[in-house]
C-alpha cells in the first residue's frame, strides 16, 4: 500500500498549498450520472485493442503469497525520467529480485518511463506489472462492507467478526483489490480502517518495467532500484492521465524539484515522493 508517499504528499500540500496545475478531485474523472468510474482505470498499460498481456506470474516466478497484475498502482502511477546522457542501468532477464541483476542497459536521455506516456510505451514496447505481497485482513466486528460490482454499482459484503479478507493490491483513489472466499472485490480501504486490522500491516509492492535499451535489447527494471541511479529521478506530475518525454530546458528544474522532494521525504522519514 502506498501509505508512505500519500502521507508525505498530504503534508506537502498542507504546508505549501496545492499547486494550481494539480487537478481537483472533481476534475480527475468525468463520470456520468448513471455510471461509476472504475478505480485504477488509468493504472494499466495502454495498448492496442489486439494486445495480449504476457503471463507475468509465470514469467516472474514469484510463487504463492504474491498477487501479480498488469499496470502500476496509484492515483498517479510512479515513473522515472532520464535527465542525463549515457545513463546505464543494470537490469534483469527475469523480473524477480532473486534473479541476477547483470544486464547493462543504456537509456535515452529525456525519456519518461511512465505508463501514461503512450508514445514511449508504444515505441519501446514497454511492459508494466506489479507484484504485491498479499496479507490477511481480519474483521474485529460484524460489518457490511461496500464494494464496486463488475457493473459499476455499489454492493455490500456481509462479514462476521473474525472472518478474513485477503489483500491483493492497491488500485488508486483509496481503492484496493481484496478477496473473500475466492472472489475478488474492489473495496475502499477507508471502510476497513476501523473495523479490521489493516493498519497493522504494511504491504510490499515490486513495480517492474521492461524497457528497450539503446542497443535494442530488452531488460526488466525494478522501480525502487532504478530511481536510485544518479541522473534518474521520479517522473514529474503534469496532470491526470498526462505524461510525455521531457525536453532539455526542463531537465534542471525537474532535477531541483526531485532533490527537494527527496530531502523533505528524508527529513520526514518517508519514502521519496513518486
Amino acid at each position: 500500500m502506498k501509505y508512505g508517499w500519500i502521507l508525505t504528499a498530504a503534508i506537502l500540500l498542507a504546508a505549501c498549498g496545492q499547486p494550481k496545475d494539480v487537478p481537483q478531485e472533481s476534475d480527475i474523472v468525468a463520470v456520468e450520472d448513471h455510471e461509476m468510474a472504475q478505480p485504477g482505470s488509468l493504472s494499466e498499460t495502454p495498448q492496442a485493442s489486439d494486445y495480449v498481456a504476457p503471463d507475468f506470474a509465470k514469467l516472474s516466478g514469484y510463487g504463492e503469497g504474491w498477487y501479480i497484475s498488469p499496470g502500476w498502482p496509484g492515483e498517479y502511477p510512479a515513473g522515472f525520467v532520464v535527465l542525463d546522457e549515457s545513463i546505464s542501468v543494470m537490469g534483469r532477464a527475469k523480473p524477480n529480485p532473486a534473479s541476477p541483476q547483470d544486464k547493462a542497459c543504456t537509456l535515452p536521455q529525456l525519456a519518461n518511463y511512465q505508463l501514461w506516456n503512450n508514445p514511449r510505451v508504444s515505441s519501446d514496447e514497454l511492459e508494466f506489472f506489479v507484484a504485491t505481497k498479499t496479507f490477511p485482513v481480519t474483521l474485529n466486528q460484524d460489518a457490511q462492507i461496500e464494494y464496486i460490482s463488475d457493473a459499476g454499482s455499489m454492493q455490500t459484503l456481509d462479514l462476521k467478526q473474525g472472518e478474513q479478507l485477503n489483500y491483493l493490491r492497491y488500485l488508486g483513489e483509496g481503492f484496493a483489490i481484496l478477496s473473500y472466499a475466492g472472489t475478488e472485490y474492489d473495496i475502499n480501504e477507508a471502510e476497513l480502517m476501523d473495523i479490521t486490522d489493516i493498519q497493522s500491516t504494511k504491504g510490499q509492492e515490486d513495480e517492474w518495467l521492461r524497457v528497450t535499451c539503446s542497443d535494442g535489447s530488452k531488460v526488466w527494471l525494478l522501480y525502487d532500484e532504478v530511481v536510485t541511479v544518479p541522473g534518474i529521478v521520479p517522473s514529474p506530475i503534469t496532470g491526470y492521465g498526462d505524461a510525455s518525454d521531457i525536453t532539455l530546458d526542463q531537465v534542471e528544474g525537474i532535477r531541483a524539484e526531485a532533490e527537494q522532494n527527496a530531502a523533505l521525504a528524508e527529513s520526514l522519514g518517508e519514502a521519496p515522493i513518486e
Side-chain angles (χ1 to χ4, degrees):
M1 288 176 288
K2 295 286 186 177
Y3 291 133
W5 74 263
I6 290 174
L7 175 60
T8 305
I11 294 174
L12 270 174
L13 291 177
C16 305
Q18 185 165 341
K20 293 181 180 179
D21 58 349
V22 176
Q24 299 296 321
E25 184 175 355
S26 60
D27 297 330
I28 288 178
V29 181
V31 182
E32 299 294 336
D33 292 340
H34 62 279
E35 64 182 4
M36 178 174 295
Q38 295 298 312
S41 59
L42 288 183
S43 297
E44 296 185 0
T45 310
Q47 298 284 359
S49 58
D50 58 351
Y51 168 77
V52 178
D55 185 341
F56 294 121
K58 182 178 180 180
L59 180 67
S60 62
Y62 267 81
E64 293 185 9
W66 290 85
Y67 185 80
I68 313 299
S69 53
W72 282 4
E75 293 87 338
Y76 292 83
F80 60 90
V81 292
V82 182
L83 300 182
D84 301 323
E85 291 184 281
S86 304
I87 295 293
S88 181
V89 298
M90 297 304 295
R92 294 175 171 85
K94 180 179 181 179
N96 189 300
S99 298
Q101 191 177 1
D102 57 1
K103 303 295 182 182
C105 176
T106 300
L107 300 175
Q109 185 184 22
L110 309 181
N112 183 8
Y113 293 95
Q114 210 275 354
L115 58 81
W116 291 340
N117 186 3
N118 294 334
R120 176 65 59 182
V121 170
S122 177
S123 66
D124 287 13
E125 298 180 326
L126 303 182
E127 295 283 3
F128 297 79
F129 80 89
V130 59
T132 308
K133 183 70 172 176
T134 64
F135 59 90
V137 177
T138 305
L139 274 289
N140 57 36
Q141 59 186 273
D142 295 352
Q144 289 187 325
I145 300 173
E146 289 189 332
Y147 66 91
I148 301 178
S149 71
D150 291 339
S153 61
M154 297 303 295
Q155 305 291 329
T156 58
L157 187 63
D158 293 328
L159 298 178
K160 300 294 185 181
Q161 181 178 355
E163 289 192 290
Q164 289 186 330
L165 298 156
N166 194 31
Y167 191 100
L168 301 181
R169 76 162 273 178
Y170 183 69
L171 290 171
E173 300 292 338
F175 281 82
I177 302 176
L178 295 95
S179 66
Y180 174 73
T183 300
E184 296 182 2
Y185 300 92
D186 293 355
I187 296 174
N188 191 332
E189 288 186 6
E191 284 208 39
L192 304 176
M193 293 301 176
D194 296 329
I195 62 173
T196 73
D197 61 353
I198 191 171
Q199 297 186 71
S200 65
T201 304
K202 184 176 182 180
Q204 176 185 343
E205 292 174 340
D206 290 346
E207 294 171 312
W208 289 97
L209 167 64
R210 191 194 69 181
V211 300
T212 299
C213 310
S214 295
D215 63 1
S217 62
K218 297 181 185 296
V219 303
W220 286 97
L221 303 178
L222 184 61
Y223 175 79
D224 285 345
E225 294 174 345
V226 74
V227 291
T228 66
V229 175
I232 293 178
V233 300
S235 298
I237 296 174
T238 57
Y240 189 74
D242 176 61
S244 63
D245 285 351
I246 63 173
T247 60
L248 278 173
D249 61 356
Q250 293 176 308
V251 167
E252 294 311 316
I254 292 172
R255 193 194 311 274
E257 182 180 8
E259 291 173 352
Q260 182 182 27
N261 287 340
L264 179 58
E266 183 178 359
S267 70
L268 296 172
E270 298 289 344
I273 299 171
E274 298 172 2

